[in-house]
Amino acid sequence: MKIHHLNCGSVRTIEATYDGPQPAPAVNHCLLMETDADGLVLVETGLGLGDIRDPAGTLGTDWVDMAQPALDEEETAIRQIARLGYAPSDVRHIIVTHLDVDHSGGLPDFPDAHVHVLASELEAALSEAPNFRYRNAHWAHEPHWITYDPEPGEQWFGFTALQPKGLPPEIRLVPLGGHTAGHTGVAVQNGDRWLLHCGDAYYYHREIGHPVETHPLLDIVQTQSQVHRDLRLGTRARLRELVRDHGDQVEVFSAHDPWELARYRDGTDTGSRP
C-alpha cells in the first residue's frame, strides 16, 4: 500500500519553541492511500474547492480571520489527487478524525465516497451547525455516511480499535476523545510499522515528548476548542505512553504540525521513514 502525505490547506505561520526548525505555515495533514482492492482511501480532507472560492460563505469570516488560510486551490485534495493521475470517483472511502471546518471542507469534492466517522461526532455536527466549528456547506451534498460507536472490543496497543466497514484490517479507527464530541485517530499499518494520524488529539510534536512542552499559540486554539478538558489531557497522556513504550512500532503525528509533516519530505510513505 502506497501512502501519500498531503498538506490540504496551509494556514497562519507559526514558530517552533526551540532553535532549529524554521517558522512555517500550520498545515492540514491528510493521507491518501492507494489500496489494491478498495481504491483510494483519503484520511481527512482539509479545505476544499468550495472553501477556496467562497471562504466567507463556507468557512465563516470568524474562522478565516483566526486561521488566515492561504486559500490555494492547488493545495486541495482533489487537485493533488488529479496530479497523481486519478479522478474524484477513484476516492471510494474518506475517514475523518472529526468534522471541524478545516477537516471536512473537501467532502463535497468527492460526493460518491463513503465517509467514515464516529456517530457522536456526526450527531454533534448536524445538530450544532452552522457555528464556528461546523459548517453545513460541507455536507449539503448528503454524503454516504458510515458511523461507528466506540464500544470496548478489539485492542490496539492498549487503545480501543474499530474496523472500518469495507476496508482492510490494515486500517483502524482509534477513538481519541476530548477535542470534539466524537474525535478519532486513524491507524494505518504500513510494512513493519503503524502510522497513527492523531487528528487534533494534540497540536504540537513536543506535547507528546518528555517533559510536555506546549506551543503558546496552538495551545490557545486547542484549549478554546476542546469539549472535555480532562478527557483531552488523558488522551494526550496515553499517546505519550504509546510513543514511550512502542515508538519502534508506531509513529504518531497530528493534523496541523508542519514539522511533523516535514518528516515525509517527498510526500510519499512506502514503509520506511525518509
Side-chain angles (χ1 to χ4, degrees):
M1 179 166 56
K2 181 181 289 186
I3 301 174
H4 302 270
H5 293 257
L6 311 177
N7 171 21
C8 296
S10 298
V11 292
R12 67 189 302 162
T13 296
I14 56 176
E15 297 181 355
T17 59
Y18 58 100
D19 292 336
Q22 294 297 306
V27 299
N28 280 287
H29 189 161
C30 302
L31 300 179
L32 178 69
M33 294 176 278
E34 300 181 28
T35 70
D36 293 334
D38 301 295
L40 298 181
V41 179
L42 183 62
V43 177
E44 307 282 59
T45 71
L47 303 183
L49 292 177
D51 301 323
I52 307 303
R53 295 167 181 173
D54 181 19
T58 60
L59 299 171
T61 54
D62 290 342
W63 189 89
V64 171
D65 291 343
M66 180 277 294
Q68 300 174 15
L71 300 176
D72 182 355
E73 186 170 312
E74 294 307 308
E75 286 188 339
T76 61
I78 192 171
R79 293 291 182 253
Q80 295 188 66
I81 288 169
R83 290 198 294 272
L84 292 170
Y86 292 104
S89 59
D90 293 324
V91 177
R92 293 169 54 185
H93 298 271
I94 295 173
I95 306 173
V96 285
T97 63
H98 60 300
L99 289 167
D100 272 1
V101 59
D102 50 338
H103 295 255
S104 61
L107 289 178
D109 297 333
F110 306 98
D112 298 325
H114 290 86
V115 181
H116 304 258
V117 63
L118 294 193
S120 53
E121 181 68 12
L122 181 59
E123 180 181 0
L126 295 182
S127 63
E128 296 176 18
N131 60 9
F132 183 82
R133 160 161 269 159
Y134 300 125
R135 305 297 293 181
N136 300 92
H138 291 165
W139 43 81
H141 64 291
E142 299 184 352
H144 305 290
W145 301 110
I146 302 178
T147 60
Y148 304 85
D149 293 308
E151 299 176 355
E154 184 179 353
Q155 294 290 296
W156 180 86
F157 295 99
F159 291 80
T160 296
L162 307 172
Q163 179 60 54
K165 298 172 185 176
L167 290 174
E170 290 81 14
I171 302 174
R172 311 283 180 85
L173 303 182
V174 181
L176 301 173
H179 177 66
T180 63
H183 184 275
T184 186
V186 183
V188 182
Q189 188 173 24
N190 194 31
D192 59 357
R193 64 185 171 120
W194 286 86
L195 303 177
L196 178 62
H197 192 312
C198 297
D200 287 359
Y202 70 95
Y203 275 44
Y204 183 51
H205 58 280
R206 287 204 161 191
E207 289 183 61
I208 54 169
H210 297 270
V212 172
E213 180 182 349
T214 61
H215 188 282
L217 175 59
L218 296 177
D219 198 46
I220 292 172
V221 176
Q222 69 177 330
T223 55
Q224 288 181 340
S225 60
Q226 66 192 5
V227 298
H228 196 300
R229 178 181 182 275
D230 290 344
L231 182 56
R232 179 182 68 82
L233 294 178
T235 293
R236 188 178 70 182
R238 294 183 67 199
L239 290 172
R240 292 176 68 229
E241 293 173 356
L242 176 66
V243 172
R244 181 195 66 198
D245 298 338
H246 302 287
D248 59 335
Q249 299 170 274
V250 182
E251 187 169 330
V252 307
F253 50 87
S254 59
H256 303 304
D257 187 313
W259 303 290
E260 287 183 326
L261 181 60
R263 295 174 185 168
Y264 312 98
R265 289 181 296 273
D266 66 354
T268 303
D269 188 348
T270 57
S272 60
R273 182 167 171 168

